[in-house]
Amino acid sequence: MMGSESPNGSSMPLPPQQAKMYGITKPISLAGASEVDFHRNMELERFLVDSGLYESREEAAKREEVLGRLDQIVKSWVKQLTRQRGYTDQMVEDANAVIFTFGSYRLGVHGPGADIDTLCVGPSYVNREEDFFIILHNILAEMEEVTELQPVSDAHVPVMKFKFLGISIDLLYASVSLLVVPEDLDISNGSVLYDVDEPTIRSLNGCRVADQILKLVPNVKHFRATLRCLKFWAKRRGVYSNVTGFLGGVNWALLVARVCQLYPNANPSMLVSRFFRVYTQWRWPNPVMLCSIEENELGFPVWDPRRNPRDRFHLMPIITPAYPCMNSSYNVSASTLRVMIEQFHHGNRICEEIELNKAHWGSLFEPYLFFEAYKNYLQVDIVAAGADDLLAWKGWVESRWRQLTLKIERDTNGMLQCHPYPHEYSDTSKPCPHSAFFMGLQRKAGVRGQEGQQFDIRNTVDEFRQGINMYVYWKPGMEIYVSHVRRKQLPAFVFPDGYKRTRMPRHLIHPSENMGENASKCHSVSAETCNKRKSDTEMLDAKTGKPEKRASISPLRLDSFSPEGSSSRSGGSSHMSIECIGRLEDSTSKVADSNYGVKTSDGLLGGGIGTVGPDIYISETDACTLDKQKSRGLENQNENGVDGNKVRDCSESAETASIRPLLSSERSAFNMDRQVVKACNLARAEHADYAPSASNRNYNCE
């Protein structure tokens, strides 16, 4: 060991070199990449390139051109307003606005077709409400290069969305307390926060956070490669959407940056593996922070659960590093947190197999089979009279989509778990613009429900729809339909090739799920119990001579539907219930989950798709227990019976006894289509001369 000489000539050992600390804690490991890690990283980079995650030089040049044009537009807009308000010629000449970028573009991880998050900083006399959302909006609307212009003025962070020469732009506005905005404005300086409102602070924070992230990571190049990889993974696994209740771009950037701090010398392939290792063991709601929370004399509220009671209810706090420090993941709910933790475990297992050379990188990025993961879904159909109306209407519904998750969790005490899927779908066969969102439903795993326990979410869905109908910019033809649909009756337009795929074994879909109590109960059911169930079902079939009660349906009444008061005006709307039955998996799966049967109290629609509106009623029964189903009036639904030649699986018998609709699923789907199509046709017919008012805003199709 080398040392230094003491005054008397003897050598003194040097103190051990301390590792540089990134963030608020010491690194977990200072180890660098081995030769194996180097080759594995080369494979990962090759996979990302082959997957098309990098844009071409032509597209990069086009983005630069669009940003330059946008900068010229906002500068001209501010000069025009300065002149109109009587300022001197010198003030008009000095008037200025500056465009900043943030998000994936500022962090250097954007891909082909990605939008550009931009911020326009203007002087104090140019406001957001009128000057930005009205005057600048009208200027952009008249330009041929601008399409799909959509203002969202009432969002948490007010934004104007549009496409400029085909490039998607999200434009924010911040009015700072300066009469003249300098071209070299340092937005990281805290002085820009003086005398501004909270929407302006939130708008400025996007750029300030992006700059801080790049300063706080030990290796920017490794950070960017890792973040690009993890964003791609999150999109493939259906957990990339801040508005839906998952995580958005800044959230994933902060999570990746923290892992980079904990492993400062690791290369991207190592960081991807360590990412899943860290967050499968993270004890939420402990916060993820890149630096200490900064206090400031400006007095803006910062995230602090000790002082702010509201912050104590955040489930997955990910704190921004720029003042004022906020929780960037306040949208996360109990259901979406559960889904993300499951996906973290899934990713961790795949990475462990990759390190053992038992899997390749493509396995990590296999898409999540959402429509094969659940037995019951909520389908939200959105229609409008025109494409522009649908764009605005869809943006409003999507911004309120997570509220339905929170309301269901609240009204069922968390026993009914929701999985909102962040992808939208469209049925191009409809005569008017259409969009649909889906939410998976299941009973909370591992918790045995009480006998006769019921989940009634009719009022919950009705409350959600009433909130949707408060849209300030509502126009005739904007309609929303909420329906329950079983997996077997999912519409064909949600599948990539237009047809329903063969169902994968359960253990390939949810490898992270553990065997719950219901599964143990079902697996312990003897063959004698199943035989008894079979005989009971056959006895039930013998009673089918009694004519079934069938509601009379007027085609006009079936099609008469409006977002408000649908149950009172639709006439034949059925009360749907979902029987939560402990599912007995086949011998190859060995995984437990909840199975749902469907029944209708009035015999109108049993397939689920045909039931539209808030009449969604969810109840729970035990596994393989036909007597309990009899007590709920299911005798008349098992009209086709059970195969008498062999004993079926208990779960199959339970499902068969529960879901016999009086109308076939094809007819139910047809009825649903008729409702949406007729609403479209009526909207088109009345749109030209219809004047909305408080009384006729939610018009009846009759």
Side-chain angles (χ1 to χ4, degrees), residues 225-270:
T226 308
L227 178 57
R228 190 184 296 272
C229 179
L230 267 302
K231 287 182 63 176
F232 181 53
W233 172 86
K235 292 175 181 178
R236 298 284 283 180
R237 303 302 296 179
V239 290
Y240 188 94
S241 174
N242 184 52
V243 69
T244 310
F246 295 105
L247 301 182
V250 65
N251 309 126
W252 291 106
L254 292 170
L255 291 183
V256 171
R258 185 62 185 131
V259 174
C260 291
Q261 291 180 339
L262 296 174
Y263 300 91
N265 299 323
N267 67 1
S269 67
M270 297 171 63

Side-chain angles (χ1 to χ4, degrees), residues 371-401:
F371 291 109
E372 298 175 12
Y374 298 91
K375 281 187 168 291
N376 288 271
Y377 300 85
L378 284 183
Q379 176 178 342
V380 177
D381 289 278
I382 307 164
V383 294
D388 292 338
D389 288 350
L390 179 66
L391 188 65
W393 182 231
K394 180 180 64 178
W396 167 256
V397 173
E398 191 174 11
S399 69
R400 297 297 182 269
W401 180 222

Side-chain angles (χ1 to χ4, degrees), residues 407-641:
K407 294 177 188 299
I408 293 177
E409 290 177 351
R410 176 199 65 191
D411 294 345
T412 63
N413 295 320
M415 295 296 293
L416 185 62
Q417 293 179 334
C418 311
H419 182 174
Y421 203 49
H423 296 276
E424 65 171 287
Y425 298 88
S426 178
D427 187 358
T428 56
S429 64
K430 296 276 188 295
C432 67
H434 165 266
S435 186
F437 296 92
F438 291 83
M439 175 185 292
L441 296 175
Q442 70 176 12
R443 194 181 70 174
K444 186 176 181 180
V447 178
R448 182 179 301 172
Q450 300 177 359
E451 181 177 348
Q453 182 180 5
Q454 297 177 341
F455 295 137
D456 189 346
I457 61 172
R458 291 172 294 182
N459 294 334
T460 306
V461 175
D462 189 49
E463 179 185 348
F464 166 72
R465 293 167 64 249
Q466 289 178 1
I468 293 294
N469 291 323
M470 299 299 292
Y471 185 44
V472 177
Y473 303 102
W474 186 91
K475 294 181 180 179
M478 293 181 176
E479 301 292 348
I480 179 173
Y481 304 90
V482 182
S483 60
H484 164 259
V485 56
R486 289 183 58 80
R487 181 173 60 206
K488 296 180 179 179
Q489 300 157 340
L490 286 166
F493 62 80
V494 304
F495 296 95
D497 300 321
Y499 60 87
K500 299 177 182 177
R501 349 172 9 146
T502 304
R503 186 186 171 211
M504 297 288 290
R506 185 75 182 182
H507 67 283
L508 296 180
I509 302 173
H510 277 307
S512 62
E513 292 183 0
N514 296 323
M515 188 170 297
E517 296 182 14
N518 284 338
S520 301
K521 183 172 182 179
C522 265
H523 279 290
S524 64
V525 175
S526 63
E528 180 181 355
T529 307
C530 292
N531 281 320
K532 182 178 182 301
R533 177 174 182 78
K534 171 192 165 187
S535 60
D536 288 344
T537 309
E538 290 175 347
M539 291 177 61
L540 216 131
D541 291 338
K543 300 178 181 180
T544 56
K546 182 179 178 180
E548 298 174 352
K549 182 179 179 180
R550 187 181 298 271
S552 61
I553 307 172
S554 168
L556 185 57
R557 291 299 286 180
L558 185 62
D559 289 331
S560 90
F561 216 84
S562 67
E564 292 184 9
S566 57
S567 58
S568 62
R569 292 195 288 189
S570 58
S573 179
S574 68
H575 287 245
M576 181 187 307
S577 66
I578 303 177
E579 295 289 338
C580 299
I581 303 169
R583 181 171 182 238
L584 176 61
E585 294 291 339
D586 54 39
S587 58
T588 60
S589 176
K590 305 296 184 183
V591 179
D593 192 18
S594 298
N595 184 22
Y596 301 80
V598 176
K599 69 179 181 180
T600 55
S601 58
D602 61 1
L604 175 60
L605 298 172
I609 297 180
T611 302
V612 184
D615 302 325
I616 302 172
Y617 187 76
I618 301 179
S619 63
E620 299 189 18
T621 60
D622 235 350
C624 305
T625 319
L626 188 60
D627 292 337
K628 297 177 184 178
Q629 296 174 350
K630 289 181 179 180
S631 66
R632 292 178 175 83
L634 295 178
E635 294 89 348
N636 294 332
Q637 291 191 342
N638 196 14
E639 57 186 6
N640 293 331

